[in-house]
Amino acid sequence: MASPQTGIFALGTAAHAYLEFDLLASANGPAAVASVARLREPRTTIGGVNLVAGFRPELWAAVAPDAAPVGVAGFEEPVAGVAAHELPATQHDLVIWLAGASYDVVFDTSRSIVAELMGRARLAHEMVGWQYHHDLDLTGFEDGSENPSIVEATSIALVPPGRPGEAASILLLQQWEHDAISWEALPVAAQEAIIGRRKSDSEELDPKPPTSHVARTDQDRFGKIFRRNVAYGTVSEHGTIFVGFCGSQDPLRQMLESMVGRGSEPADQLTSVARAVTGAYYVIPSADRLAAFGAEDRA
């Protein structure tokens, strides 16, 4: 049975970096994947840092067709609705997610990875994230209230055994910038109507406002996902890094379409006070299949 990259489930890390790379025009796809595989054995840790590596779906399918989840595509086109902000497409070729107890070790590891991949890929986008009051986001609401337990998470976040891409995961990675001034000017009741939960205890409103974030991303409707969101930014510019894992791309894609109000449905009111500035999908291969690339390259 294939094993996942365990950093997906390594909770309790306070400092995070998300490094997105574009392959150089001269780069060979399999060689680039092998370079990522050699960064370290993905099922262990180095220097107290967890490392999770992922690839543009089309790139992974090209280099490892036997281990590619079925029907997964990159975030190549913006997601647009009638009444909401467009969700931009900023797809890159590689992503490295680093997580550790403190940012100094994450920073050092980030620099070493950029140097290691030089000549095959260039750093195109970097996000640095951190936990905010354990499980809150910068709106002051609890983030990930519907997240499954770790015991349940593997069955939600990973491609099931026996299917192509077994133990891989599909990652949706987005940077959402908050309009803090507009948000903080709202009374708590208005904030709760936008989120669809009480701020005090995170209980869902009953009934759920149809334009609330809870209603527009209802996991009972679209399917479960496993979230590892963190905060990012400065006092003047900040927000949420959305980090969503699923064994299928469909729930992630359908939630985004619901948020922007495709068809006759209303848009998510959260998009009136938060704006997506990036959007990409990545296949996170199983640890076994990724490690095999490093072994083949050394042979």
Side-chain angles (χ1 to χ4, degrees):
M1 182 179 293
S3 300
Q5 296 187 45
T6 53
I8 296 171
F9 308 105
L11 303 180
T13 47
H16 300 256
Y18 306 84
L19 310 176
E20 295 179 279
F21 294 84
D22 289 333
L23 293 186
L24 301 181
S26 59
N28 171 276
V33 172
S35 295
V36 172
R38 289 197 308 270
L39 292 174
R40 67 165 185 83
E41 168 54 56
R43 73 189 80 190
T44 64
T45 60
I46 282 185
V49 176
N50 291 300
L51 187 156
V52 174
F55 305 91
R56 176 196 292 267
E58 294 80 3
L59 171 60
W60 181 251
V63 301
D66 61 311
V70 175
V72 183
F75 204 139
E76 303 294 346
E77 298 290 338
V79 180
V82 174
H85 294 298
E86 184 177 88
L87 308 183
T90 59
Q91 184 69 54
H92 299 286
D93 293 317
L94 317 172
V95 67
I96 305 293
W97 168 32
L98 302 169
S102 60
Y103 185 61
D104 54 352
V105 292
V106 171
F107 176 79
D108 287 344
T109 307
S110 297
R111 291 190 66 200
S112 67
I113 286 171
V114 171
E116 185 69 24
L117 296 181
M118 191 177 298
R120 299 194 190 277
R122 68 172 185 86
L123 182 63
H125 187 241
E126 176 181 4
M127 294 180 284
V128 172
W130 30 273
Q131 282 190 323
Y132 181 69
H133 294 292
H134 182 62
D135 56 3
L136 300 183
D137 71 14
L138 295 180
T139 65
F141 282 76
E142 182 178 337
D143 197 358
S145 299
E146 291 190 75
N147 239 10
S149 68
I150 289 298
V151 173
E152 301 169 309
T154 54
S155 65
I156 291 168
L158 303 178
V159 175
R163 294 189 183 177
E166 176 181 343
S169 187
I170 293 88
L171 165 65
L172 171 59
L173 182 63
Q174 291 179 295
Q175 181 179 349
W176 285 81
E177 183 177 317
H178 295 182
D179 181 350
I181 293 175
S182 296
W183 176 256
E184 291 165 4
L186 295 172
V188 170
Q191 293 180 355
E192 290 176 338
I194 289 174
I195 299 296
R197 294 183 182 276
R198 292 200 301 260
K199 198 169 188 176
S200 59
D201 58 11
S202 201
E203 285 296 313
E204 285 191 9
L205 302 183
D206 187 15
K208 291 180 285 193
T211 60
S212 68
H213 185 58
V214 167
R216 303 317 309 150
T217 60
D218 187 353
Q219 294 190 39
D220 291 331
R221 175 184 176 189
F222 299 114
K224 300 289 186 181
I225 64 173
F226 179 57
R227 293 165 55 171
R228 293 293 310 274
N229 298 359
V230 292
Y232 80 89
T234 63
V235 170
S236 56
E237 293 184 4
H238 53 257
T240 298
I241 302 173
F242 178 87
V243 185
F245 294 95
C246 192
S248 167
Q249 190 174 30
D250 287 344
L252 299 164
R253 177 181 51 78
Q254 291 170 8
M255 285 180 188
L256 293 186
E257 292 176 349
S258 176
M259 287 184 71
V260 300
R262 277 199 171 170
S264 60
E265 296 191 353
D268 188 335
Q269 276 297 102
L270 186 60
T271 61
S272 68
V273 288
R275 178 178 65 93
V277 294
T278 71
Y281 288 110
Y282 296 99
V283 171
I284 311 299
S286 71
D288 311 74
R289 192 64 184 89
L290 181 56
F293 267 90
E296 292 167 5
D297 189 66
R298 288 192 296 267

PDB file of all heavy atoms in Angstrom, residues 112-146:
ATOM      1  N   SER A 112      17.789  27.027   1.019  1.00  0.00           N
ATOM      2  CA  SER A 112      18.553  25.892   0.493  1.00  0.00           C
ATOM      3  C   SER A 112      17.807  25.220  -0.659  1.00  0.00           C
ATOM      4  O   SER A 112      18.432  24.756  -1.625  1.00  0.00           O
ATOM      5  CB  SER A 112      18.840  24.882   1.606  1.00  0.00           C
ATOM      6  OG  SER A 112      17.657  24.254   2.066  1.00  0.00           O
ATOM      7  N   ILE A 113      16.484  25.192  -0.593  1.00  0.00           N
ATOM      8  CA  ILE A 113      15.701  24.572  -1.664  1.00  0.00           C
ATOM      9  C   ILE A 113      15.763  25.415  -2.930  1.00  0.00           C
ATOM     10  O   ILE A 113      15.911  24.879  -4.034  1.00  0.00           O
ATOM     11  CB  ILE A 113      14.250  24.364  -1.193  1.00  0.00           C
ATOM     12  CG1 ILE A 113      14.207  23.192  -0.205  1.00  0.00           C
ATOM     13  CG2 ILE A 113      13.310  24.120  -2.372  1.00  0.00           C
ATOM     14  CD1 ILE A 113      12.881  23.016   0.482  1.00  0.00           C
ATOM     15  N   VAL A 114      15.654  26.734  -2.789  1.00  0.00           N
ATOM     16  CA  VAL A 114      15.767  27.609  -3.960  1.00  0.00           C
ATOM     17  C   VAL A 114      17.120  27.407  -4.634  1.00  0.00           C
ATOM     18  O   VAL A 114      17.219  27.322  -5.869  1.00  0.00           O
ATOM     19  CB  VAL A 114      15.556  29.081  -3.563  1.00  0.00           C
ATOM     20  CG1 VAL A 114      15.889  30.015  -4.725  1.00  0.00           C
ATOM     21  CG2 VAL A 114      14.118  29.314  -3.107  1.00  0.00           C
ATOM     22  N   ALA A 115      18.167  27.289  -3.840  1.00  0.00           N
ATOM     23  CA  ALA A 115      19.501  27.073  -4.394  1.00  0.00           C
ATOM     24  C   ALA A 115      19.609  25.704  -5.059  1.00  0.00           C
ATOM     25  O   ALA A 115      20.218  25.558  -6.126  1.00  0.00           O
ATOM     26  CB  ALA A 115      20.547  27.211  -3.285  1.00  0.00           C
ATOM     27  N   GLU A 116      19.004  24.691  -4.433  1.00  0.00           N
ATOM     28  CA  GLU A 116      19.088  23.332  -4.959  1.00  0.00           C
ATOM     29  C   GLU A 116      18.382  23.199  -6.312  1.00  0.00           C
ATOM     30  O   GLU A 116      18.835  22.465  -7.194  1.00  0.00           O
ATOM     31  CB  GLU A 116      18.470  22.356  -3.956  1.00  0.00           C
ATOM     32  CG  GLU A 116      18.609  20.893  -4.322  1.00  0.00           C
ATOM     33  CD  GLU A 116      20.035  20.391  -4.237  1.00  0.00           C
ATOM     34  OE1 GLU A 116      20.832  20.995  -3.484  1.00  0.00           O
ATOM     35  OE2 GLU A 116      20.352  19.405  -4.934  1.00  0.00           O
ATOM     36  N   LEU A 117      17.288  23.926  -6.480  1.00  0.00           N
ATOM     37  CA  LEU A 117      16.514  23.816  -7.728  1.00  0.00           C
ATOM     38  C   LEU A 117      16.982  24.794  -8.805  1.00  0.00           C
ATOM     39  O   LEU A 117      16.484  24.745  -9.930  1.00  0.00           O
ATOM     40  CB  LEU A 117      15.026  24.047  -7.437  1.00  0.00           C
ATOM     41  CG  LEU A 117      14.353  23.015  -6.531  1.00  0.00           C
ATOM     42  CD1 LEU A 117      12.889  23.348  -6.338  1.00  0.00           C
ATOM     43  CD2 LEU A 117      14.511  21.600  -7.090  1.00  0.00           C
ATOM     44  N   MET A 118      17.922  25.652  -8.469  1.00  0.00           N
ATOM     45  CA  MET A 118      18.439  26.607  -9.439  1.00  0.00           C
ATOM     46  C   MET A 118      19.017  25.862 -10.648  1.00  0.00           C
ATOM     47  O   MET A 118      19.695  24.852 -10.502  1.00  0.00           O
ATOM     48  CB  MET A 118      19.519  27.474  -8.790  1.00  0.00           C
ATOM     49  CG  MET A 118      19.945  28.671  -9.617  1.00  0.00           C
ATOM     50  SD  MET A 118      21.158  29.688  -8.712  1.00  0.00           S
ATOM     51  CE  MET A 118      20.186  30.183  -7.283  1.00  0.00           C
ATOM     52  N   GLY A 119      18.704  26.365 -11.817  1.00  0.00           N
ATOM     53  CA  GLY A 119      19.137  25.691 -13.043  1.00  0.00           C
ATOM     54  C   GLY A 119      18.048  24.842 -13.655  1.00  0.00           C
ATOM     55  O   GLY A 119      18.102  24.505 -14.840  1.00  0.00           O
ATOM     56  N   ARG A 120      17.040  24.488 -12.836  1.00  0.00           N
ATOM     57  CA  ARG A 120      15.887  23.744 -13.351  1.00  0.00           C
ATOM     58  C   ARG A 120      14.584  24.528 -13.183  1.00  0.00           C
ATOM     59  O   ARG A 120      13.676  24.398 -13.998  1.00  0.00           O
ATOM     60  CB  ARG A 120      15.756  22.392 -12.659  1.00  0.00           C
ATOM     61  CG  ARG A 120      16.941  21.462 -12.837  1.00  0.00           C
ATOM     62  CD  ARG A 120      16.580  20.058 -12.421  1.00  0.00           C
ATOM     63  NE  ARG A 120      17.744  19.180 -12.363  1.00  0.00           N
ATOM     64  CZ  ARG A 120      18.272  18.560 -13.405  1.00  0.00           C
ATOM     65  NH1 ARG A 120      17.739  18.753 -14.611  1.00  0.00           N
ATOM     66  NH2 ARG A 120      19.321  17.766 -13.271  1.00  0.00           N
ATOM     67  N   ALA A 121      14.497  25.315 -12.100  1.00  0.00           N
ATOM     68  CA  ALA A 121      13.251  26.043 -11.821  1.00  0.00           C
ATOM     69  C   ALA A 121      13.585  27.348 -11.122  1.00  0.00           C
ATOM     70  O   ALA A 121      14.587  27.460 -10.413  1.00  0.00           O
ATOM     71  CB  ALA A 121      12.334  25.189 -10.944  1.00  0.00           C
ATOM     72  N   ARG A 122      12.717  28.341 -11.326  1.00  0.00           N
ATOM     73  CA  ARG A 122      12.901  29.617 -10.643  1.00  0.00           C
ATOM     74  C   ARG A 122      11.742  29.846  -9.679  1.00  0.00           C
ATOM     75  O   ARG A 122      10.591  29.464  -9.954  1.00  0.00           O
ATOM     76  CB  ARG A 122      12.968  30.775 -11.647  1.00  0.00           C
ATOM     77  CG  ARG A 122      11.668  31.055 -12.380  1.00  0.00           C
ATOM     78  CD  ARG A 122      11.712  32.325 -13.215  1.00  0.00           C
ATOM     79  NE  ARG A 122      10.409  32.621 -13.807  1.00  0.00           N
ATOM     80  CZ  ARG A 122       9.457  33.304 -13.175  1.00  0.00           C
ATOM     81  NH1 ARG A 122       9.668  33.768 -11.961  1.00  0.00           N
ATOM     82  NH2 ARG A 122       8.286  33.521 -13.762  1.00  0.00           N
ATOM     83  N   LEU A 123      12.035  30.464  -8.565  1.00  0.00           N
ATOM     84  CA  LEU A 123      11.007  30.798  -7.594  1.00  0.00           C
ATOM     85  C   LEU A 123      10.107  31.873  -8.188  1.00  0.00           C
ATOM     86  O   LEU A 123      10.557  32.975  -8.500  1.00  0.00           O
ATOM     87  CB  LEU A 123      11.643  31.284  -6.296  1.00  0.00           C
ATOM     88  CG  LEU A 123      10.670  31.636  -5.167  1.00  0.00           C
ATOM     89  CD1 LEU A 123       9.870  30.416  -4.728  1.00  0.00           C
ATOM     90  CD2 LEU A 123      11.437  32.226  -3.972  1.00  0.00           C
ATOM     91  N   ALA A 124       8.808  31.565  -8.348  1.00  0.00           N
ATOM     92  CA  ALA A 124       7.871  32.487  -8.975  1.00  0.00           C
ATOM     93  C   ALA A 124       6.994  33.206  -7.964  1.00  0.00           C
ATOM     94  O   ALA A 124       6.558  34.332  -8.202  1.00  0.00           O
ATOM     95  CB  ALA A 124       6.986  31.737  -9.973  1.00  0.00           C
ATOM     96  N   HIS A 125       6.723  32.569  -6.843  1.00  0.00           N
ATOM     97  CA  HIS A 125       5.837  33.164  -5.835  1.00  0.00           C
ATOM     98  C   HIS A 125       6.140  32.539  -4.486  1.00  0.00           C
ATOM     99  O   HIS A 125       6.366  31.334  -4.390  1.00  0.00           O
ATOM    100  CB  HIS A 125       4.373  32.949  -6.203  1.00  0.00           C
ATOM    101  CG  HIS A 125       3.418  33.661  -5.304  1.00  0.00           C
ATOM    102  ND1 HIS A 125       2.489  33.010  -4.544  1.00  0.00           N
ATOM    103  CD2 HIS A 125       3.248  34.987  -5.052  1.00  0.00           C
ATOM    104  CE1 HIS A 125       1.776  33.889  -3.850  1.00  0.00           C
ATOM    105  NE2 HIS A 125       2.229  35.088  -4.140  1.00  0.00           N
ATOM    106  N   GLU A 126       6.158  33.370  -3.466  1.00  0.00           N
ATOM    107  CA  GLU A 126       6.468  32.911  -2.110  1.00  0.00           C
ATOM    108  C   GLU A 126       5.436  33.475  -1.138  1.00  0.00           C
ATOM    109  O   GLU A 126       5.111  34.658  -1.174  1.00  0.00           O
ATOM    110  CB  GLU A 126       7.870  33.391  -1.714  1.00  0.00           C
ATOM    111  CG  GLU A 126       8.276  33.054  -0.290  1.00  0.00           C
ATOM    112  CD  GLU A 126       9.659  33.585   0.058  1.00  0.00           C
ATOM    113  OE1 GLU A 126      10.256  34.291  -0.802  1.00  0.00           O
ATOM    114  OE2 GLU A 126      10.143  33.312   1.160  1.00  0.00           O
ATOM    115  N   MET A 127       4.913  32.617  -0.281  1.00  0.00           N
ATOM    116  CA  MET A 127       3.999  33.041   0.771  1.00  0.00           C
ATOM    117  C   MET A 127       4.527  32.532   2.103  1.00  0.00           C
ATOM    118  O   MET A 127       4.912  31.359   2.213  1.00  0.00           O
ATOM    119  CB  MET A 127       2.585  32.499   0.540  1.00  0.00           C
ATOM    120  CG  MET A 127       1.886  33.045  -0.686  1.00  0.00           C
ATOM    121  SD  MET A 127       0.214  32.367  -0.912  1.00  0.00           S
ATOM    122  CE  MET A 127       0.590  30.713  -1.534  1.00  0.00           C
ATOM    123  N   VAL A 128       4.538  33.400   3.088  1.00  0.00           N
ATOM    124  CA  VAL A 128       4.952  33.036   4.439  1.00  0.00           C
ATOM    125  C   VAL A 128       3.724  33.117   5.341  1.00  0.00           C
ATOM    126  O   VAL A 128       3.025  34.140   5.363  1.00  0.00           O
ATOM    127  CB  VAL A 128       6.057  33.978   4.961  1.00  0.00           C
ATOM    128  CG1 VAL A 128       6.351  33.707   6.438  1.00  0.00           C
ATOM    129  CG2 VAL A 128       7.319  33.813   4.125  1.00  0.00           C
ATOM    130  N   GLY A 129       3.435  32.048   6.051  1.00  0.00           N
ATOM    131  CA  GLY A 129       2.241  31.992   6.883  1.00  0.00           C
ATOM    132  C   GLY A 129       2.551  31.641   8.320  1.00  0.00           C
ATOM    133  O   GLY A 129       3.630  31.123   8.634  1.00  0.00           O
ATOM    134  N   TRP A 130       1.573  31.909   9.192  1.00  0.00           N
ATOM    135  CA  TRP A 130       1.736  31.651  10.618  1.00  0.00           C
ATOM    136  C   TRP A 130       0.373  31.419  11.250  1.00  0.00           C
ATOM    137  O   TRP A 130      -0.660  31.880  10.758  1.00  0.00           O
ATOM    138  CB  TRP A 130       2.428  32.835  11.316  1.00  0.00           C
ATOM    139  CG  TRP A 130       2.164  34.169  10.696  1.00  0.00           C
ATOM    140  CD1 TRP A 130       2.862  34.749   9.679  1.00  0.00           C
ATOM    141  CD2 TRP A 130       1.105  35.088  11.015  1.00  0.00           C
ATOM    142  NE1 TRP A 130       2.316  35.971   9.357  1.00  0.00           N
ATOM    143  CE2 TRP A 130       1.234  36.210  10.158  1.00  0.00           C
ATOM    144  CE3 TRP A 130       0.062  35.081  11.959  1.00  0.00           C
ATOM    145  CZ2 TRP A 130       0.377  37.296  10.198  1.00  0.00           C
ATOM    146  CZ3 TRP A 130      -0.805  36.171  12.003  1.00  0.00           C
ATOM    147  CH2 TRP A 130      -0.636  37.264  11.141  1.00  0.00           C
ATOM    148  N   GLN A 131       0.379  30.657  12.323  1.00  0.00           N
ATOM    149  CA  GLN A 131      -0.862  30.402  13.041  1.00  0.00           C
ATOM    150  C   GLN A 131      -1.266  31.643  13.831  1.00  0.00           C
ATOM    151  O   GLN A 131      -0.424  32.338  14.392  1.00  0.00           O
ATOM    152  CB  GLN A 131      -0.704  29.230  14.000  1.00  0.00           C
ATOM    153  CG  GLN A 131      -0.746  27.873  13.316  1.00  0.00           C
ATOM    154  CD  GLN A 131      -0.832  26.754  14.330  1.00  0.00           C
ATOM    155  OE1 GLN A 131      -0.232  26.821  15.391  1.00  0.00           O
ATOM    156  NE2 GLN A 131      -1.569  25.717  13.989  1.00  0.00           N
ATOM    157  N   TYR A 132      -2.563  31.891  13.869  1.00  0.00           N
ATOM    158  CA  TYR A 132      -3.109  33.038  14.586  1.00  0.00           C
ATOM    159  C   TYR A 132      -3.995  32.527  15.714  1.00  0.00           C
ATOM    160  O   TYR A 132      -5.045  31.927  15.456  1.00  0.00           O
ATOM    161  CB  TYR A 132      -3.903  33.920  13.621  1.00  0.00           C
ATOM    162  CG  TYR A 132      -4.513  35.159  14.256  1.00  0.00           C
ATOM    163  CD1 TYR A 132      -3.697  36.202  14.703  1.00  0.00           C
ATOM    164  CD2 TYR A 132      -5.881  35.288  14.380  1.00  0.00           C
ATOM    165  CE1 TYR A 132      -4.250  37.335  15.275  1.00  0.00           C
ATOM    166  CE2 TYR A 132      -6.446  36.431  14.935  1.00  0.00           C
ATOM    167  CZ  TYR A 132      -5.622  37.449  15.388  1.00  0.00           C
ATOM    168  OH  TYR A 132      -6.168  38.574  15.955  1.00  0.00           O
ATOM    169  N   HIS A 133      -3.541  32.736  16.939  1.00  0.00           N
ATOM    170  CA  HIS A 133      -4.301  32.303  18.114  1.00  0.00           C
ATOM    171  C   HIS A 133      -4.804  30.869  17.959  1.00  0.00           C
ATOM    172  O   HIS A 133      -5.987  30.581  18.134  1.00  0.00           O
ATOM    173  CB  HIS A 133      -5.454  33.264  18.403  1.00  0.00           C
ATOM    174  CG  HIS A 133      -4.998  34.635  18.816  1.00  0.00           C
ATOM    175  ND1 HIS A 133      -4.369  34.894  20.007  1.00  0.00           N
ATOM    176  CD2 HIS A 133      -5.063  35.826  18.170  1.00  0.00           C
ATOM    177  CE1 HIS A 133      -4.076  36.180  20.102  1.00  0.00           C
ATOM    178  NE2 HIS A 133      -4.474  36.769  18.986  1.00  0.00           N
ATOM    179  N   HIS A 134      -3.910  30.004  17.611  1.00  0.00           N
ATOM    180  CA  HIS A 134      -4.114  28.561  17.505  1.00  0.00           C
ATOM    181  C   HIS A 134      -4.988  28.178  16.316  1.00  0.00           C
ATOM    182  O   HIS A 134      -4.527  27.534  15.384  1.00  0.00           O
ATOM    183  CB  HIS A 134      -4.683  27.986  18.810  1.00  0.00           C
ATOM    184  CG  HIS A 134      -4.873  26.496  18.765  1.00  0.00           C
ATOM    185  ND1 HIS A 134      -3.816  25.635  18.584  1.00  0.00           N
ATOM    186  CD2 HIS A 134      -5.996  25.727  18.853  1.00  0.00           C
ATOM    187  CE1 HIS A 134      -4.280  24.392  18.568  1.00  0.00           C
ATOM    188  NE2 HIS A 134      -5.586  24.416  18.727  1.00  0.00           N
ATOM    189  N   ASP A 135      -6.289  28.536  16.320  1.00  0.00           N
ATOM    190  CA  ASP A 135      -7.167  28.064  15.261  1.00  0.00           C
ATOM    191  C   ASP A 135      -8.094  29.150  14.714  1.00  0.00           C
ATOM    192  O   ASP A 135      -9.133  28.844  14.118  1.00  0.00           O
ATOM    193  CB  ASP A 135      -8.003  26.863  15.725  1.00  0.00           C
ATOM    194  CG  ASP A 135      -8.818  27.163  16.976  1.00  0.00           C
ATOM    195  OD1 ASP A 135      -8.785  28.322  17.443  1.00  0.00           O
ATOM    196  OD2 ASP A 135      -9.491  26.243  17.483  1.00  0.00           O
ATOM    197  N   LEU A 136      -7.718  30.424  14.907  1.00  0.00           N
ATOM    198  CA  LEU A 136      -8.509  31.508  14.345  1.00  0.00           C
ATOM    199  C   LEU A 136      -7.886  31.986  13.037  1.00  0.00           C
ATOM    200  O   LEU A 136      -6.695  31.813  12.799  1.00  0.00           O
ATOM    201  CB  LEU A 136      -8.576  32.695  15.319  1.00  0.00           C
ATOM    202  CG  LEU A 136      -9.187  32.460  16.697  1.00  0.00           C
ATOM    203  CD1 LEU A 136      -9.222  33.777  17.472  1.00  0.00           C
ATOM    204  CD2 LEU A 136     -10.580  31.851  16.608  1.00  0.00           C
ATOM    205  N   ASP A 137      -8.730  32.598  12.168  1.00  0.00           N
ATOM    206  CA  ASP A 137      -8.135  33.357  11.076  1.00  0.00           C
ATOM    207  C   ASP A 137      -8.229  34.839  11.432  1.00  0.00           C
ATOM    208  O   ASP A 137      -8.703  35.206  12.516  1.00  0.00           O
ATOM    209  CB  ASP A 137      -8.756  33.013   9.716  1.00  0.00           C
ATOM    210  CG  ASP A 137     -10.173  33.527   9.531  1.00  0.00           C
ATOM    211  OD1 ASP A 137     -10.628  34.381  10.315  1.00  0.00           O
ATOM    212  OD2 ASP A 137     -10.834  33.075   8.581  1.00  0.00           O
ATOM    213  N   LEU A 138      -7.780  35.696  10.539  1.00  0.00           N
ATOM    214  CA  LEU A 138      -7.665  37.114  10.887  1.00  0.00           C
ATOM    215  C   LEU A 138      -9.003  37.838  10.880  1.00  0.00           C
ATOM    216  O   LEU A 138      -9.054  39.030  11.187  1.00  0.00           O
ATOM    217  CB  LEU A 138      -6.669  37.798   9.950  1.00  0.00           C
ATOM    218  CG  LEU A 138      -5.231  37.281  10.086  1.00  0.00           C
ATOM    219  CD1 LEU A 138      -4.306  38.005   9.110  1.00  0.00           C
ATOM    220  CD2 LEU A 138      -4.715  37.435  11.499  1.00  0.00           C
ATOM    221  N   THR A 139     -10.099  37.127  10.590  1.00  0.00           N
ATOM    222  CA  THR A 139     -11.432  37.698  10.788  1.00  0.00           C
ATOM    223  C   THR A 139     -11.861  37.598  12.242  1.00  0.00           C
ATOM    224  O   THR A 139     -12.858  38.197  12.641  1.00  0.00           O
ATOM    225  CB  THR A 139     -12.482  36.975   9.931  1.00  0.00           C
ATOM    226  OG1 THR A 139     -12.595  35.612  10.379  1.00  0.00           O
ATOM    227  CG2 THR A 139     -12.117  37.022   8.460  1.00  0.00           C
ATOM    228  N   GLY A 140     -11.147  36.796  13.030  1.00  0.00           N
ATOM    229  CA  GLY A 140     -11.525  36.552  14.414  1.00  0.00           C
ATOM    230  C   GLY A 140     -12.412  35.339  14.596  1.00  0.00           C
ATOM    231  O   GLY A 140     -12.771  34.994  15.726  1.00  0.00           O
ATOM    232  N   PHE A 141     -12.763  34.658  13.483  1.00  0.00           N
ATOM    233  CA  PHE A 141     -13.575  33.450  13.550  1.00  0.00           C
ATOM    234  C   PHE A 141     -12.674  32.215  13.537  1.00  0.00           C
ATOM    235  O   PHE A 141     -11.570  32.244  13.002  1.00  0.00           O
ATOM    236  CB  PHE A 141     -14.536  33.377  12.360  1.00  0.00           C
ATOM    237  CG  PHE A 141     -15.744  34.266  12.490  1.00  0.00           C
ATOM    238  CD1 PHE A 141     -15.633  35.638  12.294  1.00  0.00           C
ATOM    239  CD2 PHE A 141     -16.982  33.741  12.817  1.00  0.00           C
ATOM    240  CE1 PHE A 141     -16.743  36.468  12.404  1.00  0.00           C
ATOM    241  CE2 PHE A 141     -18.098  34.559  12.930  1.00  0.00           C
ATOM    242  CZ  PHE A 141     -17.985  35.925  12.735  1.00  0.00           C
ATOM    243  N   GLU A 142     -13.181  31.132  14.103  1.00  0.00           N
ATOM    244  CA  GLU A 142     -12.456  29.871  14.053  1.00  0.00           C
ATOM    245  C   GLU A 142     -12.377  29.403  12.613  1.00  0.00           C
ATOM    246  O   GLU A 142     -13.356  29.460  11.864  1.00  0.00           O
ATOM    247  CB  GLU A 142     -13.166  28.821  14.903  1.00  0.00           C
ATOM    248  CG  GLU A 142     -12.438  27.484  14.950  1.00  0.00           C
ATOM    249  CD  GLU A 142     -13.135  26.471  15.840  1.00  0.00           C
ATOM    250  OE1 GLU A 142     -13.902  26.888  16.748  1.00  0.00           O
ATOM    251  OE2 GLU A 142     -12.911  25.262  15.628  1.00  0.00           O
ATOM    252  N   ASP A 143     -11.201  28.948  12.200  1.00  0.00           N
ATOM    253  CA  ASP A 143     -10.989  28.479  10.834  1.00  0.00           C
ATOM    254  C   ASP A 143     -10.957  26.953  10.826  1.00  0.00           C
ATOM    255  O   ASP A 143     -10.283  26.343  11.649  1.00  0.00           O
ATOM    256  CB  ASP A 143      -9.679  29.031  10.284  1.00  0.00           C
ATOM    257  CG  ASP A 143      -9.595  28.941   8.771  1.00  0.00           C
ATOM    258  OD1 ASP A 143     -10.544  28.420   8.160  1.00  0.00           O
ATOM    259  OD2 ASP A 143      -8.598  29.394   8.197  1.00  0.00           O
ATOM    260  N   GLY A 144     -11.674  26.362   9.893  1.00  0.00           N
ATOM    261  CA  GLY A 144     -11.651  24.904   9.785  1.00  0.00           C
ATOM    262  C   GLY A 144     -12.544  24.202  10.782  1.00  0.00           C
ATOM    263  O   GLY A 144     -12.218  23.100  11.236  1.00  0.00           O
ATOM    264  N   SER A 145     -13.694  24.807  11.112  1.00  0.00           N
ATOM    265  CA  SER A 145     -14.599  24.196  12.086  1.00  0.00           C
ATOM    266  C   SER A 145     -15.063  22.813  11.648  1.00  0.00           C
ATOM    267  O   SER A 145     -15.341  21.949  12.476  1.00  0.00           O
ATOM    268  CB  SER A 145     -15.824  25.094  12.303  1.00  0.00           C
ATOM    269  OG  SER A 145     -15.441  26.356  12.802  1.00  0.00           O
ATOM    270  N   GLU A 146     -15.174  22.608  10.333  1.00  0.00           N
ATOM    271  CA  GLU A 146     -15.645  21.324   9.819  1.00  0.00           C
ATOM    272  C   GLU A 146     -14.505  20.371   9.485  1.00  0.00           C
ATOM    273  O   GLU A 146     -14.744  19.300   8.914  1.00  0.00           O
ATOM    274  CB  GLU A 146     -16.513  21.547   8.583  1.00  0.00           C
ATOM    275  CG  GLU A 146     -17.843  22.205   8.848  1.00  0.00           C
ATOM    276  CD  GLU A 146     -18.742  22.172   7.628  1.00  0.00           C
ATOM    277  OE1 GLU A 146     -19.292  21.097   7.314  1.00  0.00           O
ATOM    278  OE2 GLU A 146     -18.879  23.220   6.981  1.00  0.00           O
TER     279      GLU A 146
END
